[in-house]
C-alpha cells in the first residue's frame, strides 16, 4: 500500500513538543485540581497542601469500576436504536451510519442507578474515590489511544484525518490519525464523545450531592443548582445526539489521546469541579440570587441550543422550513454558509451560549475562591483556540465565500466585543 500522503495542515497545539507537554501537563493539572478542591484553602494557583501517596492514586477496584462503567455504556450503545442517522459525506463520498440512542442510554443508566440505590448501592462512596478513579481513567485513556494509534497504521489513507497525520508519531498520537475509527460498526469516537464521559460527569455530580446530604442532612441549594444545570447540559447533548455529527470533533478531528483523554477523563473529573468544591466548601445561596443564576443559565442555553440546532438543521436539510428563509452565501464546494439568524449575529453564537452557561455553573460557588471558575477560564481558552482552528479550516474550505462571511459578520463570539 502506498505510504499515506503526509497532511500539509499546519501543526497545532505547539507541534510535537506542545503535544508531549500537554500529555504530561493535563494529568498533572487534573491531580492538582482534585486535591485543591478537597483542601481547605482550595487554591487554584498554589500547590496543593499535600501530594498524594502513590498508594492513593492506584486502586484495582477503581480500575474495575472504570472498565465496568465503560462496559455498561458499550452495552447500552449496542442496544437497538430508535433511529439511525447518516453522517456528513466523507472524502470518498460515503456516509457512515450512527445509532441515535444516547438519551435511551441516559434513561436506562438512571433506571439501573435507581435500582442500585434502592438495593443500598453506596453511590456517595464514589466521592471519596475521585483520585484513584481519575488515575484509572487516565490509564484507560492512554491504553485506548495506543490501540487506536496502532489500528490507524493499518487504516486506508482516505480514512485518516487531515490534522493528525503529520508523520511525527508524538503529534499524531496526541491529535489522532484516524478520523472515524470503528470496530465493525461500533464508532469509537462517536461513542466516547457522548457516553462514558458525559454520563460519568453527572454520576460523579450525583455522588457528591449524596455525600453532601449524608454530611449535612440535605444537599445545599448551590449543589442542587450545579447538578441541575449540568444534568440539563448532558441530557440536552444526548437528546440532540444527532447534532454532534456536524461538529468539529466528528467532522474534522482524528481520534487520538486529546479526545480520548478529554472524553474519558477531563470531562467527568474536571467538569464536576464545582460540585467537588461545594462538597468541601458549602456556600450560602439566597433565593433571589439563585433565581438570577437560573435565568442566566436559561439565556445561555437558549442561545447554545438555538444556534446549534439551526446550523445542524441547515446542514442536514437547507430546505427545512425552519431555515429555508435564512440568508446564505454560496460557496465553491456547493455547501452554503448561513449569514442571517444566529449565525448572522456572530460567527460562533453557540460558543457564546456555552460560555454564559459555564458562568452560571460557577456562580453558585460564590466569589471567595477562583477554583470553581477554573472550568469557565479553561473553557474560554478552549473555545478561543477552537474558534481559531475552525476559522482556518473554514477559510481553507470556503476561501472567498468565508472572507465575505467574515466581512458581513465581523464578530467571532461576542457581538461588538470579539
Ligand atoms: N463543553 C465543552 O467542553 C465543549 C463544548 N463545545 C460545544 O460544542 C458545540 C459545537 O462546537 P464545535 O464542535 O466547535 O463546532 P461547531 O458546531 O461550531 O461547528 C463548526 C462548523 O460549523 C460549520 N459552520 C460554521 N459557520 C457556519 C455558517 N455560517 N453556516 C453554516 N455552517 C457553518 C463549519 O463546518 P461545515 O461548513 O463543514 O459544515 C464549521 O467547521 C458548540 O456549542 C460548543 O460550545 C465545544 C467544545 C467543548
Ligand atoms: C483537555 C484537552 C486539551 C481538550 C479536550 C477537549 C474535550 C474535553 C472537548 C472537545 C470537544 C468536546 C465537546 C463536548 C465535550 C467536551 C469535548 C469532548 C460536547 C460533547 C459537550 C456537550 C455538547 O452538547 C456537545 C455540543 C455535544 C459537545 C461537543 C464537543
Amino acid at each position: 500500500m502506498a505510504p499515506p500522503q503526509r497532511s500539509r495542515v499546519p501543526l497545532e497545539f505547539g507541534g510535537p513538543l506542545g503535544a508531549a507537554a500537554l500529555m504530561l501537563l493535563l494529568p498533572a493539572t487534573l491531580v492538582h485540581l482534585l486535591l485543591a478542591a478537597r483542601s481547605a484553602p482550595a487554591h487554584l494557583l498554589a500547590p496543593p497542601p499535600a501530594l498524594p501517596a502513590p498508594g492513593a492514586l492506584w486502586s484495582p477496584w477503581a480500575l474495575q469500576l472504570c472498565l465496568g462503567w465503560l462496559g455498561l455504556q458499550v452495552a447500552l450503545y449496542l442496544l437497538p436504536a430508535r433511529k439511525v442517522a447518516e453522517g456528513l459525506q466523507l472524502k470518498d463520498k460515503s456516509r457512515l451510519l450512527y445509532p441515535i440512542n444516547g438519551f435511551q442510554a441516559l434513561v436506562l443508566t438512571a433506571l439501573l442507578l435507581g435500582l442500585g440505590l434502592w438495593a443500598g448501592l453506596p453511590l456517595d462512596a464514589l466521592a471519596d474515590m475521585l483520585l484513584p478513579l481519575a488515575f484509572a481513567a487516565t490509564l484507560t485513556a492512554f491504553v485506548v489511544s495506543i490501540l487506536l494509534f496502532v489500528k490507524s497504521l493499518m487504516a486506508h489513507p482516505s480514512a485518516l484525518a487531515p490534522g493528525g497525520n503529520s508523520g511525527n508519531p508524538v503529534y499524531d498520537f496526541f491529535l489522532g490519525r484516524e478520523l472515524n475509527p470503528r470496530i465493525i460498526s461500533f464508532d469509537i469516537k462517536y461513542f466516547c464523545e457522548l457516553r462514558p464521559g458525559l454520563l460519568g460527569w453527572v454520576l460523579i455530580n450525583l455522588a457528591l450531592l449524596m455525600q453532601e446530604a449524608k454530611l449535612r442532612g440535605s444537599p445545599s441549594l448551590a449543589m442542587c443548582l450545579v447538578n441541575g444545570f449540568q444534568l440539563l447540559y448532558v441530557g440536552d447533548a444526548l437528546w440532540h445526539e444527532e447534532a454532534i455529527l456536524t461538529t468539529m470533533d466528528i467532522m474534522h478531528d482524528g481520534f487520538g489521546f486529546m479526545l480520548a483523554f478529554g472524553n474519558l477523563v477531563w470531562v467527568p473529573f474536571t467538569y464536576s469541579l464545582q460540585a467537588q468544591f461545594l462538597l468541601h466548601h458549602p456556600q450560602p445561596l439566597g433565593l433571589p440570587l439563585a433565581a438570577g443564576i437560573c435565568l442566566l443559565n436559561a439565556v445561555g442555553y437558549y442561545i447554545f441550543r438555538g444556534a446549534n440546532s439551526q446550523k445542524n438543521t441547515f446542514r442536514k436539510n437547507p430546505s427545512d422550513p425552519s431555515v429555508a428563509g435564512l440568508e446564505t452565501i454560496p460557496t465553491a464546494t456547493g455547501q452554503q454558509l448561513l449569514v442571517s439568524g444566529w449565525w448572522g449575529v456572530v460567527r460562533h453564537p453557540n460558543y457564546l451560549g456555552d460560555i454564559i452557561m459555564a458562568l452560571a455553573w460557577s456562580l453558585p460557588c460564590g466569589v471567595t475562591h477562583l477554583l470553581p471558575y477554573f472550568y469557565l477560564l479553561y473553557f474560554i481558552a478552549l473555545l478561543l483556540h477552537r474558534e481559531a482552528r475552525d476559522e482556518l479550516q473554514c477559510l481553507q474550505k470556503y476561501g472567498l465565500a468565508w472572507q465575505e462571511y467574515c466581512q458581513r459578520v465581523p464578530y467571532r463570539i461576542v457581538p461588538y466585543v470579539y
Side-chain angles (χ1 to χ4, degrees):
M1 182 168 60
Q5 183 70 31
R6 297 298 174 220
S7 65
R8 291 186 300 279
V9 172
L11 297 185
E12 302 171 279
F13 296 97
L17 218 55
L22 279 170
M23 286 191 275
L24 293 171
L25 278 177
L26 287 169
T29 303
L30 172 65
V31 172
H32 168 69
L33 293 170
L34 294 178
L35 292 173
R38 65 184 192 185
S39 68
H43 288 316
L44 176 61
L45 304 175
L51 288 176
L57 285 174
W58 169 246
S59 151
W61 173 230
L63 182 61
Q64 288 171 48
L65 280 176
C66 265
L67 297 178
W69 176 252
L70 266 181
L72 169 65
Q73 294 310 322
V74 167
L76 295 176
Y77 176 93
L78 294 173
L79 288 177
R82 63 182 169 88
K83 182 184 171 188
V84 177
E86 271 195 344
L88 295 187
Q89 198 173 72
L90 299 174
K91 277 189 285 193
D92 62 4
K93 306 297 180 206
S94 67
R95 288 172 184 269
L96 294 173
L97 297 178
Y98 297 87
I100 304 298
N101 62 1
F103 195 81
Q104 176 184 296
L106 170 65
V107 171
L108 290 173
T109 301
L111 286 174
L112 288 171
L113 201 56
L115 264 176
L117 291 170
W118 176 75
L121 176 75
L123 180 66
D124 62 294
L126 277 191
D128 297 321
M129 296 180 62
L130 294 185
L131 213 50
L133 282 170
F135 185 79
T138 302
L139 205 61
T140 306
F142 265 109
V143 170
V144 166
S145 305
I146 291 166
L147 294 174
L148 283 166
F149 187 80
V150 171
K151 180 184 180 303
S152 76
L153 297 175
M154 295 171 271
H156 189 276
S158 66
L160 300 182
N165 181 26
S166 69
N168 179 291
V170 174
Y171 180 79
D172 294 347
F173 176 80
F174 178 76
L175 224 65
R177 296 184 75 243
E178 204 170 348
L179 183 64
N180 300 298
R182 289 191 164 209
I183 301 171
I184 308 174
S185 63
F186 183 91
D187 192 298
I188 305 168
K189 176 168 75 170
Y190 175 68
F191 165 75
C192 286
E193 190 84 353
L194 281 177
R195 307 302 177 92
L198 287 189
L199 292 171
W201 170 14
V202 290
L203 182 72
I204 290 171
N205 273 354
L206 180 61
L208 291 158
L209 181 146
M210 291 183 71
Q211 183 153 116
E212 183 182 41
K214 201 172 175 180
L215 281 174
R216 303 184 184 113
S218 67
S220 62
L221 178 55
M223 180 69 90
C224 292
L225 280 195
V226 165
N227 265 259
F229 291 160
Q230 295 178 351
L231 181 58
L232 166 69
Y233 191 75
V234 169
D236 166 84
L238 294 166
W239 183 259
H240 295 92
E241 182 175 22
E242 198 173 339
I244 200 170
L245 300 178
T246 60
T247 61
M248 279 174 69
D249 289 4
I250 300 296
M251 292 191 302
H252 306 310
D253 293 343
F255 192 59
F257 177 81
M258 180 181 78
L259 283 181
F261 178 83
N263 283 304
L264 300 178
V265 188
W266 195 254
V267 164
F269 293 98
T270 67
Y271 287 30
S272 57
L273 208 58
Q274 286 104 350
Q276 294 175 45
F277 172 82
L278 286 169
L279 174 62
H280 302 285
H281 309 81
Q283 296 295 314
L285 182 62
L287 282 177
L289 181 55
I293 295 171
C294 288
L295 181 62
L296 182 69
N297 192 70
V299 168
Y301 177 72
Y302 177 73
I303 298 170
F304 166 87
R305 182 36 58 207
N308 275 317
S309 295
Q310 188 173 72
K311 189 254 296 178
N312 182 55
T313 303
F314 181 74
R315 272 290 172 260
K316 273 192 346 179
N317 175 17
S319 313
D320 185 286
S322 65
V323 295
L326 294 174
E327 206 180 333
T328 61
I329 298 174
T331 77
T333 69
Q335 292 267 54
Q336 299 176 74
L337 293 172
L338 289 169
V339 71
S340 69
W342 287 110
W343 299 78
V345 178
V346 289
R347 301 206 291 269
H348 266 91
N350 48 354
Y351 289 10
L352 176 61
D354 221 342
I355 290 169
I356 292 170
M357 284 194 283
L359 176 61
W361 301 352
S362 306
L363 289 173
C365 301
V367 291
T368 56
H369 292 75
L370 188 59
L371 188 79
Y373 294 82
F374 168 81
Y375 174 75
L376 177 65
L377 299 172
Y378 138 80
F379 193 46
I380 289 171
L382 177 81
L383 291 186
L384 289 177
H385 179 252
R386 201 174 172 88
E387 199 277 336
R389 292 178 67 206
D390 192 46
E391 289 274 329
L392 200 63
Q393 280 168 9
C394 289
L395 183 62
Q396 286 169 342
K397 203 171 355 179
Y398 300 121
L400 291 174
W402 187 259
Q403 288 173 351
E404 180 190 343
Y405 177 54
C406 293
Q407 281 163 5
R408 294 178 62 179
V409 187
Y411 292 97
R412 294 162 182 251
I413 300 175
V414 184
Y416 307 106
V417 175
Y418 178 75

